[in-house]
Amino acid sequence: MPLKIKNQTKKKGEIPIPAIIPESEVEAASLEILSELGYDYLYGPDIAPETEDAEREDFGIFILPRRLRAAVDRLNPKIPAGAREEAIKKVLRAESQDLVHNNRAFHSMLANGVDGSRPLQW
């Protein structure tokens, strides 16, 4: 579904912003930026549940647990394994039924560290 952007008044010399940007263009631009930052891209069906290279049990799981653990271990080798595992459990556990609340809590953990543990690098 295309993303809709409010029409803006064009000022002299400005490039007009299209009223609709297709989701595929937003995705392509995002993947290009992330690739330039050094992130890898995996095609969803290649790591889908019930495939040879599955990285999640179902599509409701949006964080890839093995990759999260590997990154936390690689970036935080001096923090005890138990503390790293507790932090990972907190990240993977939803606090609420409210998506906005969960997004804010997740952002806070990324920006400020996980409560009750030493600050981790993400």
Side-chain angles (χ1 to χ4, degrees):
M1 174 170 206
L3 299 173
K4 295 183 180 183
I5 299 174
K6 291 182 180 179
N7 289 331
Q8 297 179 356
T9 305
K10 182 182 174 194
K11 296 178 183 175
K12 188 174 182 178
E14 281 189 342
I15 299 172
I17 297 175
I20 297 176
I21 299 174
E23 183 178 348
S24 60
E25 288 182 28
V26 173
E27 179 181 7
S30 299
L31 290 174
E32 183 178 337
I33 291 167
L34 291 170
S35 177
E36 289 170 1
L37 292 172
Y39 289 89
D40 293 329
Y41 168 77
L42 298 172
Y43 183 55
D46 291 345
I47 60 170
E50 300 181 14
T51 63
E52 184 177 326
D53 297 321
E55 294 209 23
R56 64 182 101 208
E57 294 174 20
D58 62 64
F59 285 110
I61 298 171
F62 57 92
I63 295 175
L64 304 177
R66 284 193 318 248
R67 289 179 181 267
L68 174 63
R69 279 187 177 82
V72 168
D73 290 345
R74 184 180 72 251
L75 295 168
N76 301 280
K78 294 180 181 177
I79 293 179
R84 292 192 310 256
E85 188 59 32
E86 281 303 309
I88 289 167
K89 286 179 184 177
K90 286 183 180 182
V91 167
L92 294 175
R93 183 175 44 244
E95 291 185 3
S96 164
Q97 296 288 329
D98 180 29
L99 182 60
V100 173
H101 174 83
N102 289 336
N103 286 343
R104 287 184 176 144
F106 183 71
H107 176 266
S108 177
M109 285 187 275
L110 287 174
N112 305 316
V114 179
D115 292 341
S117 68
R118 298 179 195 169
L120 294 176
Q121 298 295 316
W122 300 99

